[in-house]
Amino acid sequence: MSLDTATLLVSCPDQQGLVAKIANFIYSNGGNIIHADHHTDLEAGLFLSRIEWQLQGFNLPKDLIARAFSSIAQPLQADWQLHFSDTIPKVAIWVSQQDHCLYDLLWRIQAKELKVKVGLIISNHEKLAKIAEQFGIEYHYLPINNDNKKEQELKQLELLKNANIDLVILAKYMQVLSSDFIKEFPHVINIHHSFLPAFIGAKPYHQAYSRGVKIIGATAHYVTQDLDAGPIIEQDVVKISHRDTVEDLIRKGKDLEKIVLARGVRLHLQHRVLVYGNRTVVFA
């Protein structure tokens, strides 16, 4: 039987007794820990932790847990997040003209593989509007060029705010987000092929084919002001043989992009990712 849980994500300078202090906070308030994972980055001197416990029987009401834990976190100089399993986040999916990642996400959400609500779909093309109609989701067409980019990004931010969006998923959205946009809305996940930085620009699979590559891959990462260089959440690869054509590479690449993006989004939604610097700890 599924019970509501709370999850703490904690990062702080490494020191003795951290696991005991966090676990004792939960134990002393009657909590039952069901998942606990910890990692110490010795080079960075950081302790990172994810602890999940059942709320049934926990002595503190949900609205007081954060305040109570802050008295423990403050002397530890800890950065921390508290999440509850019964909170359903709202996402916006952004697309251009390719539909494979969009379809895959929507089917997974409909099948309840991803515990999330899609508030809207935004695109710089009209091509995929029928998919949004098929799933009963708002579709906003905002074409972008060099002259209107700032104006359109302000409209995008307004749409996200009005819809109370928690996360943007770039499902093959072929536009670069400006640094101003990222400052205003930093919660963005992107997917792309893993040929970067070797094969830059148009037709990367054609470039890879001409070089006779033996593997292709996909990367899901958080978006930062550095293009395609944000903290990595998930990656995967598939082998290529001399028998594979360019079309085979594209097909295999799309398959990878779908599954890697879905994995990355799932890990984020399950609060299994801690970012520090330009790195991540992913608690499987």
Side-chain angles (χ1 to χ4, degrees):
M1 182 174 64
S2 178
L3 296 174
D4 290 339
T5 63
T7 299
L8 266 174
L9 291 173
V10 181
S11 64
C12 65
D14 188 34
Q15 55 198 280
Q16 289 184 337
L18 290 171
V19 173
K21 288 178 181 178
I22 299 171
N24 187 63
F25 165 75
I26 299 168
Y27 169 75
S28 64
N29 286 290
N32 178 39
I33 295 173
I34 58 174
H35 296 291
D37 203 347
H38 318 287
H39 173 68
T40 300
D41 186 323
L42 297 176
E43 185 175 339
L46 276 179
F47 170 81
L48 305 110
S49 177
R50 179 188 187 273
I51 295 187
E52 183 177 3
W53 72 96
Q54 294 174 330
L55 287 171
Q56 186 178 53
F58 197 61
N59 297 331
L60 292 174
K62 289 167 60 176
D63 59 344
L64 293 182
I65 296 175
R67 185 188 307 174
F69 184 73
S70 65
S71 64
I72 295 172
Q74 188 170 0
L76 301 178
Q77 300 178 356
D79 293 322
W80 56 281
Q81 309 166 31
L82 176 64
H83 303 281
F84 298 106
S85 63
D86 62 350
T87 301
I88 308 298
K90 289 185 71 176
V91 304
I93 303 177
W94 292 22
V95 293
S96 286
Q97 299 193 73
Q98 298 182 49
D99 61 8
H100 58 288
C101 287
L102 175 61
Y103 262 128
D104 186 73
L105 287 172
L106 293 178
W107 285 123
R108 290 178 189 273
I109 292 167
Q110 185 167 285
K112 302 189 185 304
E113 288 185 25
L114 299 174
K115 192 176 179 182
V116 71
K117 177 177 174 56
V118 182
L120 51 97
I121 296 172
I122 291 178
S123 180
N124 58 324
H125 293 273
E126 295 180 284
K127 181 178 177 180
L128 304 185
K130 289 184 178 179
I131 300 176
E133 183 180 351
Q134 177 185 350
F135 285 85
I137 302 170
E138 289 184 26
Y139 188 89
H140 296 270
Y141 166 53
L142 295 173
I144 292 181
N145 55 50
N146 292 334
D147 296 326
N148 71 356
K149 185 177 180 68
K150 185 173 183 178
E151 175 187 347
Q152 296 296 65
E153 284 196 337
L154 290 174
K155 291 180 181 178
Q156 291 168 338
L157 287 168
E158 185 178 5
L159 286 169
L160 298 180
K161 180 179 179 180
N162 292 340
N164 296 313
I165 298 298
D166 301 295
L167 174 71
V168 168
I169 305 170
L170 304 182
K172 304 300 292 182
Y173 180 69
M174 309 307 288
Q175 289 285 327
V176 177
L177 303 183
S178 71
S179 58
D180 289 338
F181 181 95
I182 297 301
K183 287 177 184 177
E184 289 294 321
F185 195 95
H187 309 295
V188 183
I189 293 176
N190 188 31
I191 184 71
H192 59 72
H193 59 78
S194 291
F195 294 138
L196 298 174
F199 304 130
I200 300 173
K203 297 187 176 182
Y205 289 99
H206 292 73
Q207 296 179 55
Y209 177 80
S210 68
R211 287 289 301 275
V213 300
K214 301 307 181 199
I215 59 170
I216 60 174
T219 296
H221 66 93
Y222 291 113
V223 175
T224 63
Q225 297 180 36
D226 298 319
L227 180 61
D228 290 331
I232 294 170
I233 308 169
E234 176 70 359
Q235 290 181 302
D236 205 348
V237 297
V238 64
K239 289 188 69 66
I240 296 299
S241 84
H242 59 278
R243 299 185 185 277
D244 287 314
T245 65
V246 172
E247 289 72 23
D248 291 325
L249 267 65
I250 293 173
R251 172 179 53 81
K252 291 182 177 182
K254 286 183 175 181
D255 286 345
L256 270 184
E257 288 172 348
K258 289 188 293 186
I259 196 166
V260 170
L261 179 58
R263 287 176 187 167
V265 170
R266 182 181 293 110
L267 289 166
H268 174 89
L269 295 176
Q270 292 178 342
H271 313 297
R272 296 184 181 275
V273 186
L274 258 176
V275 177
Y276 65 108
N278 202 45
R279 302 187 63 188
T280 59
V281 166
V282 180
F283 298 111

